[in-house]
Amino acid sequence: MQFIKGSKASRGVLAWAPQVLLFTIVFSVFAFQPLLSVSSSQVFAQDVAQPAADAPEAAAAKPAPTEESLLGWLTDSLGWTYILVFLSLSFILVALFIMNLLSARREYVCPQHLIDGFEAHLEEKQYQEAYELAKTDESFLGNVLSAGLAKLSSSYSASVAAMQEVGADENMKLDHRLSYLALIGTISPMIGLFGTVHGMINSFYVIANGGGTPDPNKLAEGISTALLTTLIGLAIAIPAIAAYNILRNRVQRLVLEVGITSENLMGRFEKVGKKKD
């Protein structure tokens, strides 16, 4: 009976032996991992230090790597061709934005002083003074009102047609100025894509002619050209497209205001035109 009990106990110990062995191995690995890593690093340091100690003259003769500045790296990666193209697009973008921002002002399109002065002359029936006031004003609304008053002697319908014609012409001028912003927003990423393809072709050319070990510096130059041209092209295109849409919405709102204001100011001559007809 004692032998049977002992055998059962030994069977129980043997049954738990794999779990205990696994736990012991895992605990040993985690416990001695820092020591193993330190010892291995020390061995590696000794292996590295030994050749260095054996060959001090070779280490002294090897030139120290020179760190290139960020501006120099950007210049070398882009090249003067892409630099000049992107600088030109940037300057043109800034100039067009300022010009369109000034032309999209309310004082330039629909000035309030012209509305008040023109309406005051009409109330006093000073039509010649009203015409001269609109003629001397170089705004969008001034050109529309002067064209309408100039044709009012013929008929009111002719006056409305003249105002619509001048309004369409002025609106086209504003749209043409804004369209150049959209043009830059379209061309810039295309130039960036061209630079991407150009840089990748240069990199694959280095790989094809470098054999099994291509020069990593030359390989990095092509990849840098590809990425930088794409980045700069998008950096120019994003504000150009945003400025175009914002200014376009503002111009459309001002043009609509000019149409409503001119109709309200010239609408009092509608009955006079019907009597003449």
Side-chain angles (χ1 to χ4, degrees):
M1 295 295 294
Q2 292 178 357
F3 176 77
I4 295 175
K5 291 181 181 180
S7 63
K8 288 182 180 180
S10 62
R11 289 194 190 99
V13 172
L14 293 175
W16 285 96
Q19 289 83 351
V20 174
L21 181 61
L22 179 62
F23 176 78
T24 304
I25 293 173
V26 172
F27 178 79
S28 300
V29 169
F30 281 100
F32 292 101
Q33 185 178 5
L35 297 177
L36 292 174
S37 60
V38 170
S39 62
S40 62
S41 62
Q42 290 176 354
V43 171
F44 179 75
Q46 292 176 359
D47 293 338
V48 173
Q50 185 65 31
D54 294 339
E57 296 180 357
K62 186 178 179 180
T66 58
E67 184 177 356
E68 188 178 6
S69 64
L70 180 60
L71 182 60
W73 177 72
L74 291 175
T75 305
D76 295 337
S77 299
L78 287 175
W80 286 107
T81 302
Y82 289 110
I83 290 176
L84 293 177
V85 170
F86 285 129
L87 281 178
S88 300
L89 289 176
S90 301
F91 288 140
I92 294 172
L93 174 62
V94 173
L96 287 173
F97 177 74
I98 294 175
M99 183 180 66
N100 284 282
L101 186 64
L102 293 176
S103 62
R105 294 179 303 165
R106 185 179 300 276
E107 292 80 8
Y108 182 82
V109 179
C110 187
Q112 186 64 37
H113 67 86
L114 176 61
I115 299 173
D116 297 337
F118 191 85
E119 190 173 8
H121 286 305
L122 293 183
E123 292 292 338
E124 298 293 333
K125 296 183 179 181
Q126 298 175 351
Y127 303 124
Q128 184 63 31
E129 287 78 1
Y131 173 77
E132 291 177 355
L133 177 63
K135 188 69 176 178
T136 56
D137 195 285
E138 297 180 355
S139 63
F140 191 133
L141 181 61
N143 294 330
V144 171
L145 292 177
S146 61
L149 284 177
K151 293 292 184 179
L152 190 60
S153 58
S154 300
S155 63
Y156 179 74
S157 60
S159 175
V160 172
M163 287 192 298
Q164 291 177 352
E165 182 178 356
V166 173
D169 183 64
E170 294 292 330
N171 189 16
M172 186 178 297
K173 291 179 182 179
L174 294 176
D175 287 338
H176 282 174
R177 293 174 185 173
L178 286 173
S179 64
Y180 292 112
L181 288 175
L183 181 62
I184 292 178
T186 305
I187 289 178
S188 296
M190 294 295 103
I191 297 176
L193 180 60
F194 181 86
T196 302
V197 177
H198 182 205
M200 295 307 295
I201 289 174
N202 291 336
S203 297
F204 282 113
Y205 180 78
V206 171
I207 294 174
N209 294 324
T213 57
D215 189 358
N217 293 327
K218 294 182 179 180
L219 190 63
E221 288 179 2
I223 298 175
S224 300
T225 302
L227 296 178
L228 285 175
T229 51
T230 304
L231 177 64
I232 298 176
L234 292 176
I236 296 175
I238 291 173
I241 295 175
Y244 168 73
N245 286 281
I246 293 173
L247 292 176
R248 183 171 177 268
N249 293 334
R250 179 174 177 80
V251 166
Q252 287 181 348
R253 185 172 66 250
L254 291 175
V255 169
L256 179 61
E257 185 177 349
V258 168
I260 295 173
T261 304
S262 61
E263 288 180 2
N264 292 333
L265 291 175
M266 299 294 294
R268 66 187 67 195
F269 297 105
E270 184 176 2
K271 297 180 180 180
V272 176
K274 290 182 179 179
K275 291 180 180 180
K276 289 184 178 181
D277 294 339

